[in-house]
Amino acid sequence: MFDIIYTLEMIGVVAFAISGMIVARSKNMDPVGIFAIGFITALGGGTLRDLIMDNHPLYWIKHQEQPILILAMAIVFSYWSRAHSLKESRIVFPDAIGLGIFSILGAQLALDLGHSWFIASMLGVMTGCFGGALRDTLCNEVPFIFRKDQIYASIAFAGCWLYFVCQWLLESESIALTIGLLFIVTVRMLAVRFDIRLQRDHSTG
């Protein structure tokens, strides 16, 4: 039987791993560094979520195909001649996909384990944002989540609440999940495209 949740998880892993590996290649890292950054970006948020909720074994330990896939991707990225020409700006789309998928699925898992909407939304944001924050920190960049010129965590937070409300009103898990996911990805891309931010600098003079 087709498992939409597992499929989304694998898409999220691939998307976030790609974003991490693009940044790692731009920093001239070796294959070990490319794998490490891809792994941390893809699985860091879910690992922190599972540790906080005492959810064992960790998801990627239970599903070893995820780190194996990341290792295979890292090998390809390390020796693919065109990978070095990929600019860091190319991470925006895969990063948005990873943010949307992992934020919603992280919130869904927290709900399934009996947590409130608020706690589930916080854990969802953590799942979606923490891997990217680690990626940027390890690559000596200011994480998206902390940049004044970026809307990031707030989009994930709003998307989680939209998912909760749609699930409550529509009583359809699949429709609510789709709406929440599309909201996060679409708003994130629009925010980057049109330079939408929560706060702007006000110059005086």
Side-chain angles (χ1 to χ4, degrees):
M1 181 178 177
F2 180 69
D3 188 340
I4 183 63
I5 300 299
Y6 181 76
T7 302
L8 285 174
E9 287 171 347
M10 294 302 290
I11 293 173
V13 166
V14 170
F16 259 162
I18 287 173
S19 75
M21 291 176 192
I22 289 175
V23 176
R25 276 302 302 260
S26 74
K27 301 297 183 181
N28 295 316
M29 293 189 183
D30 66 7
V32 175
I34 291 172
F35 169 72
I37 298 300
F39 180 93
I40 288 169
T41 307
L43 303 177
T47 297
L48 180 62
R49 176 204 63 213
D50 287 345
L51 289 173
I52 288 176
M53 294 195 300
D54 196 25
N55 185 37
H56 296 286
L58 300 179
Y59 194 84
W60 60 267
I61 293 177
K62 186 164 55 176
H63 295 275
Q64 65 172 341
E65 63 272 15
Q66 293 184 349
I68 290 173
L69 174 61
I70 294 170
L71 176 60
M73 292 174 61
I75 293 171
V76 172
F77 247 81
S78 298
Y79 298 102
W80 179 35
S81 60
R82 293 186 60 186
H84 74 278
S85 64
L86 295 175
K87 299 179 180 178
E88 286 190 51
S89 59
R90 294 292 184 91
I91 76 169
V92 173
F93 183 59
D95 186 83
I97 293 175
L99 177 67
I101 290 175
F102 283 124
S103 296
I104 298 299
L105 294 185
Q108 180 194 52
L109 177 60
L111 283 183
D112 290 342
L113 293 176
H115 295 289
S116 68
W117 283 13
F118 179 74
I119 295 301
S121 65
M122 296 299 290
L123 289 166
V125 171
M126 187 179 300
T127 306
C129 296
F130 189 73
L134 282 175
R135 172 200 65 212
D136 295 338
T137 300
L138 291 172
C139 293
N140 200 30
E141 300 284 346
V142 178
F144 282 146
I145 191 174
F146 300 134
R147 294 183 192 177
K148 197 173 184 179
D149 63 340
Q150 299 280 344
I151 301 179
Y152 200 76
S154 53
I155 295 174
F157 186 75
C160 288
W161 279 89
L162 178 61
Y163 161 69
F164 300 150
V165 171
C166 289
Q167 187 183 45
W168 176 59
L169 290 176
L170 303 175
E171 297 183 352
S172 172
E173 178 70 28
S174 59
I175 295 177
L177 189 151
T178 301
I179 292 173
L181 170 58
L182 290 177
F183 172 85
I184 293 174
V185 175
T186 301
V187 175
R188 172 64 184 150
M189 294 303 297
L190 289 174
V192 173
R193 174 65 178 82
F194 295 104
D195 191 27
I196 302 169
R197 58 185 77 180
L198 291 177
Q199 182 182 14
R200 292 188 176 276
D201 293 323
H202 299 284
S203 59
T204 58

